[in-house]
Amino acid sequence: MAMCSASVLICTHVHTALSERLAGTSSAVQTDHLSQTERKRRDSFGMFDGYDSCSEDTSSSSSSDESEEEVSPLPSSLPIIKNNGQVYTYPDGKSGMATCEMCGMVGVRDAFYSKTKRFCSVSCSRSYSSNSKKASILARLQGKPPTKKAKVLQKQPLVAKLAAYAQYQATLQNQAKTKAAVPVEGFSWGSYINSNSFTAAPVTCFKHAPMGTCWGDISEGVRVEVPNTDCSLPTKVFWIAGIVKLAGYNALLRYEGFENDSNLDFWCNVCGSDIHPVGWCATSGKPLVPPRTIQHKYTNWKAFLVKRLTGAKTLPPDFSQKVSESMQYPFKTCMRVEVVDKTHLCRTRVAVVENVIGGRLRLVYEESEDKTDDFWCHMYSPLIHHIGWSRSIGHRFKRSDITKKQDGHFDAPSHLFMKVKEVDTAGEWFKEGMKLEAIDPLNLSAICVATIRKVLADGYLMIGIDGSEAADGSDWFCYHATSPSIFPVGFCEINMIELTPPRGYTKLPFKWFDYLRETDSIAAPVKLFNKEVPNHGFHVGMKLEAVDLMEPRLVCVATVTRIIHRLLRIHFDGWEDEYDQWVDCESPDLYPVGWCQLTGYQLQPPAPQSSRDNQSSSSKQKKKSKSQQYKGHKKMTSLQLKEEMLDGEEYSFLQGASDQESNGSASYYIKQEP
């Protein structure tokens, strides 16, 4: 593909045209500032399940009749007590039992997490905490007091808990539709970058984003023609500006003639409709007018421009066309796909594309009559597949109650989906029972001890997290063998990452070789894992826009805080470290700064200072009453994990020699012993 921003020398024949477009400077007065309006997307900070849009190869879709393994429905005979008209509790609540404040699951109090025993799992803790904080922010924006706690449901087993939570999500979404959209005001990437001297990841790091493969050599010093806001002529006029700084799609521009004066510098999206290559005004009949502030500096602006622009770089003439072409998406509304069932991770369902924004799809499960049972993911997500994929590889599939396609719905062509690398399964290959390390899709900040539970066709594997699996396997998840989110035994140790041991495992510190002997199991061979490390271009500290995969319709301001070969640790600005996520460098859920503005997707800014203070004070209060240090013996609630990180001297995700920004593969794995 031709480089979209190849150096274009501004030739002398343009200068004549420039002089023809130069208007008199004596009549120049200030015009109203021209600003681009961002399309606001309705967003109620609703909750989403933890597997909706993982960046790993957690696939999903249809399968054969034999793979139809439905989970038992919610029991209706369980005793319920209504307390104060709001909260449901269990009769034995004072007899060693506890009720999860997120999903309502009731169980033995000692088996629950944290000292307060408020939640049954890491997922519930993360979801409750995230929802509470974001709901508080939403209420603050609306000028309302914080929302009440969500009602807790009756006692359910794990699988029923997931189903109950899905129903809870639908309720939240229905409530959101009755409220007015709350615009996010006051956040500007330009001000954020300038005031903190941040660096943004370059567009070339994101091959799936618009212009990601043809950004070329757009850099500081490139000249463009932009509207002149320092003028009061009755018509829209333009002037030439140079790029002072780049931040993703956004560029800090300075009008020609201002030299080192930055008073009128402004940020603009390079791919916006008001940015043009030098010479565009001459060919389009638009006037070039110098800014009023500097009009007195030169009497011969033509000579000034000739001197400044000769040999300079500008955008290629077809730049806007390239931008338009890169924002054409093959997925259309009403297309049917197979996608992971967010209430039962082990299976897939049929869903229909409801919206397409910037390549992100809002998918609605086919059986959802009111279209509230939905989630967001990118069109290149490993979670979506063509109709018939599940049957072809032996993946579990939930049949739809709909016997025939609805009018207007049609199957998405198979060539639209992201292709996985072909693997040779004829020789040594993964086997059921083999151990490995994997990112937990329900707690993306953790890499856990895991087991291969089932080997599917075409290189796909069903994987379970040791110590946390449901008896019926409903929380197994699907990764491809080449997924960058599964690792050989010893990966965390050699790269100084905290490995999450099986829940309830007491022989600490955790040692893989001891565990393999105790469980009479073997480690998956190192040579079967994906060891390819692309030259991704990311560096620690770079800013970007990233999907919160625990609530995948939210795209947030984020920072790269660690790099382990091709693995990135993403931190959401303004939120506690417990919400960090491990994401692959080629994940379609990462975007350049300015992507939301370009595509019309709503960007979630960093949490307000008041929210940060609340987080800090809460952690400090809990720290005072702490009595022991985190030992890694079980998964913990996100709040307790943060508390331990604050109190511990050695436990830290942000230290270690493996935090190098190197793409090399030296010391990538620990040596395996028999």
Side-chain angles (χ1 to χ4, degrees):
M1 180 178 294
M3 297 184 71
C4 205
S5 64
S7 301
V8 178
L9 297 183
I10 303 173
C11 305
T12 55
H13 73 270
V14 175
H15 304 153
T16 303
L18 286 173
S19 62
E20 293 175 356
R21 303 313 311 163
L22 283 170
T25 59
S26 59
S27 61
V29 232
Q30 175 100 24
T31 56
D32 293 331
H33 277 270
L34 302 171
S35 63
Q36 294 179 322
T37 41
E38 298 183 17
R39 290 187 294 159
K40 302 294 183 180
R41 186 178 62 81
R42 188 184 183 93
D43 193 330
S44 63
F45 294 91
M47 297 295 295
F48 280 77
D49 207 14
Y51 194 73
D52 290 351
S53 183
C54 302
S55 65
E56 304 87 43
D57 270 332
T58 38
S59 317
S60 8
S61 279
S62 71
S63 110
S64 61
D65 296 346
E66 290 75 21
S67 66
E68 176 71 16
E69 302 174 40
E70 297 300 336
V71 187
S72 57
L74 300 176
S76 58
S77 58
L78 294 174
I80 306 172
I81 293 181
K82 196 169 186 179
N83 183 23
N84 296 328
Q86 292 184 21
V87 181
Y88 291 91
T89 57
Y90 190 68
D92 293 339
K94 297 182 180 180
S95 304
M97 304 297 289
T99 304
C100 178
E101 294 185 17
M102 182 65 225
C103 67
M105 178 180 178
V106 178
V108 178
R109 181 178 298 275
D110 291 341
F112 273 46
Y113 295 92
S114 82
K115 296 166 70 174
T116 58
K117 307 301 181 185
R118 298 174 59 198
F119 306 103
C120 66
S121 68
V122 171
S123 177
C124 281
S125 172
R126 286 170 58 90
S127 298
Y128 182 93
S129 182
S130 177
N131 186 49
S132 175
K133 292 173 183 176
K134 291 178 180 176
S136 176
I137 293 172
L138 180 65
R140 192 178 298 111
L141 290 171
Q142 294 176 319
K144 299 178 181 179
T147 56
K148 296 180 179 179
K149 290 183 180 179
K151 293 184 178 180
V152 179
L153 306 178
Q154 64 263 37
K155 176 183 178 181
Q156 305 292 357
L158 175 61
V159 174
K161 177 189 75 169
L162 293 173
Y165 181 42
Q167 184 176 5
Y168 168 68
Q169 289 180 269
T171 302
L172 286 179
Q173 293 169 6
N174 283 334
Q175 293 174 349
K177 289 190 174 183
T178 63
K179 301 176 182 177
V182 180
V184 179
E185 302 291 351
F187 178 77
S188 164
W189 261 121
S191 300
Y192 193 56
I193 294 286
N194 273 353
S195 59
N196 299 280
S197 299
F198 290 139
T199 300
V203 173
T204 52
C205 290
F206 310 88
K207 305 304 181 186
H208 58 281
M211 303 297 292
T213 58
C214 57
W215 188 249
D217 57 356
I218 296 178
S219 60
E220 296 178 8
V222 168
R223 305 306 207 283
V224 292
E225 293 182 352
V226 294
N228 177 6
T229 58
D230 188 20
C231 180
S232 62
L233 291 177
T235 58
K236 186 175 184 179
V237 296
F238 294 78
W239 189 241
I240 296 171
I243 296 178
V244 177
K245 183 176 182 178
L246 270 177
Y249 293 115
N250 294 345
L252 181 63
L253 300 177
R254 181 174 299 169
Y255 289 122
E256 284 294 341
F258 276 82
E259 308 301 337
N260 296 321
D261 183 358
S262 61
N263 286 332
L264 286 186
D265 287 2
F266 61 99
W267 286 89
C268 196
N269 196 302
V270 176
C271 297
S273 59
D274 274 335
I275 305 293
H276 306 282
V278 172
W280 177 84
C281 284
T283 58
S284 303
K286 304 294 183 180
L288 277 173
V289 177
R292 180 178 58 179
T293 304
I294 59 170
Q295 64 182 7
H296 63 279
K297 291 183 65 174
Y298 301 97
T299 56
N300 189 341
W301 282 99
K302 174 187 173 182
F304 168 79
L305 290 179
V306 168
K307 181 179 179 180
R308 292 287 296 172
L309 300 180
T310 299
K313 295 179 181 178
T314 188
L315 303 177
D318 62 346
F319 183 77
S320 61
Q321 179 183 347
K322 290 288 187 182
V323 172
S324 178
E325 291 174 354
S326 68
M327 295 181 66
Q328 300 300 313
Y329 308 106
F331 279 86
K332 308 299 179 185
T333 57
C334 296
M335 282 185 174
R336 299 170 75 242
V337 301
E338 289 187 3
V339 66
V340 67
D341 184 344
K342 63 184 180 183
T343 61
H344 301 98
L345 309 186
C346 64
R347 70 186 183 190
T348 56
R349 299 171 62 181
V350 174
V352 179
V353 178
E354 183 70 16
N355 299 98
V356 182
I357 303 179
R360 289 186 59 76
L361 312 177
R362 176 176 176 255
L363 300 172
V364 176
Y365 289 119
E366 195 171 47
E367 296 170 286
S368 177
E369 295 182 0
D370 57 0
K371 298 185 178 181
T372 58
D373 191 5
D374 67 348
F375 68 91
W376 289 82
C377 69
H378 194 272
M379 63 183 182
Y380 293 147
S381 169
L383 300 177
I384 61 174
H385 305 274
H386 62 86
I387 298 295
W389 174 85
S390 293
R391 180 184 297 273
S392 68
I393 71 161
H395 194 286
R396 288 177 64 178
F397 176 71
K398 183 182 184 297
R399 296 178 187 170
S400 174
D401 293 336
I402 299 176
T403 56
K404 64 178 182 178
K405 297 179 187 176
Q406 298 184 20
D407 292 342
H409 291 180
F410 59 101
D411 297 349
S414 59
H415 69 269
L416 299 185
F417 298 85
M418 198 67 177
K419 299 296 187 294
V420 294
K421 183 180 179 180
E422 292 186 5
V423 292
D424 181 12
T425 61
E428 187 176 15
W429 191 240
F430 292 102
K431 293 182 175 60
E432 292 183 17
M434 283 183 172
K435 300 293 183 180
L436 70 165
E437 298 175 4
I439 295 177
D440 184 350
L442 292 177
N443 181 12
L444 296 168
S445 65
I447 299 179
C448 307
V449 174
T451 303
I452 297 173
R453 293 305 181 189
K454 190 175 182 181
V455 179
L456 308 179
D458 297 340
Y460 287 97
L461 310 169
M462 296 302 296
I463 294 175
I465 300 298
D466 284 22
S468 304
E469 298 176 63
D472 60 356
S474 59
D475 56 355
W476 295 351
F477 49 98
C478 185
Y479 280 144
H480 192 263
T482 60
S483 169
S485 299
I486 59 174
F487 317 96
V489 163
F491 173 84
C492 285
E493 180 178 350
I494 199 65
N495 290 291
M496 301 182 69
I497 301 174
E498 186 74 14
L499 175 67
T500 302
R503 183 168 60 181
Y505 188 76
T506 57
K507 295 184 178 179
L508 302 173
F510 179 84
K511 297 294 183 183
W512 258 117
F513 303 124
D514 294 340
Y515 184 69
L516 292 174
R517 283 193 291 268
E518 293 167 7
T519 56
D520 192 25
S521 54
I522 62 173
V526 171
K527 65 181 181 181
L528 299 181
F529 292 84
N530 178 12
K531 293 182 283 294
E532 179 184 353
V533 182
N535 186 19
H536 48 68
F538 287 102
H539 297 283
V540 169
M542 281 184 170
K543 297 293 178 181
L544 69 164
E545 298 177 2
V547 175
D548 181 349
L549 295 172
M550 302 306 290
E551 299 178 37
R553 69 170 165 179
L554 302 182
V555 177
C556 311
V557 172
T559 307
V560 178
T561 56
R562 281 196 77 180
I563 300 176
I564 307 296
H565 308 293
R566 65 179 299 146
L567 197 62
L568 310 180
R569 189 167 180 88
I570 302 299
H571 172 76
F572 296 106
D573 290 18
W575 298 96
E576 295 176 334
D577 294 345
E578 67 204 43
Y579 297 102
D580 289 2
Q581 297 176 166
W582 288 109
V583 179
D584 182 60
C585 64
E586 295 182 339
S587 168
D589 295 305
L590 303 178
Y591 308 103
V593 166
W595 178 86
C596 282
Q597 178 188 10
L598 177 63
T599 61
Y601 205 101
Q602 181 172 310
L603 176 67
Q604 303 301 317
Q609 184 62 45
S610 57
S611 177
R612 301 181 207 181
D613 294 341
N614 291 338
Q615 294 176 43
S616 177
S617 62
S618 175
S619 297
K620 289 178 181 178
Q621 290 174 2
K622 290 197 174 285
K623 180 180 177 182
K624 292 179 182 179
S625 61
K626 234 193 74 53
S627 60
Q628 66 180 34
Q629 185 179 353
Y630 172 62
K631 301 297 182 181
H633 62 282
K634 64 180 181 180
K635 292 183 181 178
M636 312 177 74
T637 65
S638 56
L639 185 57
Q640 186 179 0
L641 178 58
K642 176 61 176 176
E643 170 190 336
E644 301 290 359
M645 291 176 66
L646 289 172
D647 208 36
E649 297 179 355
E650 300 178 355
Y651 181 79
S652 175
F653 277 120
L654 302 177
Q655 297 177 355
S658 61
D659 287 3
Q660 301 299 317
E661 300 170 16
S662 168
N663 294 331
S665 57
S667 303
Y668 194 67
Y669 305 115
I670 192 171
K671 180 180 178 182
Q672 294 191 27
E673 298 179 4

